[in-house]
Amino acid sequence: MGALTQQLLTEIETAPEPVQREVLDFVLFVKARHADEASGAGGPSRISRSPGVCGGDACIGKTRIAVWMLEQARRLGVNDADLLEDYPGLTAAELAAAWDHVSRHPDEVERAIRENNEA
């Protein structure tokens, strides 16, 4: 590990937890953006993160519809058809991407739901 990387790691580890979360959100945002560019996706990603938007949580595309909100609704018994009706701009493909994200990042989604419920 290089000296600069070690210095950054030390700074992040000693920062308050909210700052650590923002740094992680930013790193994940940059990583996702880089992956989209490398794949030649061209269009907007179905799931995105933007620092300062919904706390940096995963959202549908460029919206403020957080994946964790959709998952929480599903847990409360709201079905896909009702979600699509409740969110007119949401497509079935975006909803499928949200469910895929939930299955691939369960800890992240649980954390977001818990933090929202505690707020």
Side-chain angles (χ1 to χ4, degrees):
M1 182 180 311
L4 179 58
T5 303
Q6 183 59 50
Q7 182 181 356
L8 287 170
L9 184 59
T10 301
E11 290 293 323
I12 292 168
E13 287 176 334
T14 59
E17 189 175 324
V19 172
Q20 290 178 3
R21 280 194 300 256
E22 281 189 48
V23 169
L24 178 58
D25 286 344
F26 179 71
V27 169
L28 293 172
F29 170 75
V30 170
K31 184 177 177 182
R33 187 172 175 188
H34 177 69
D36 284 347
E37 290 171 1
S39 71
S45 174
R46 286 205 164 95
I47 304 296
S48 65
R49 298 173 201 282
S50 298
V53 177
C54 294
D57 289 332
C59 292
I60 301 296
K62 300 289 182 189
T63 73
R64 290 181 172 267
I65 302 172
V67 171
W68 70 262
M69 292 185 331
L70 296 170
E71 174 60 11
Q72 187 172 35
R74 181 167 69 165
R75 291 178 185 183
L76 293 171
V78 180
N79 64 38
D80 287 10
D82 289 337
L83 286 170
L84 292 170
E85 186 176 322
D86 291 343
Y87 295 93
L90 186 65
T91 68
E94 290 169 330
L95 195 53
W99 302 151
D100 180 61
H101 184 85
V102 170
S103 71
R104 289 184 296 112
H105 304 282
D107 293 340
E108 168 195 322
V109 174
E110 285 297 328
R111 175 197 52 80
I113 290 172
R114 184 182 65 252
E115 287 177 357
N116 182 68
N117 287 337
E118 292 172 355

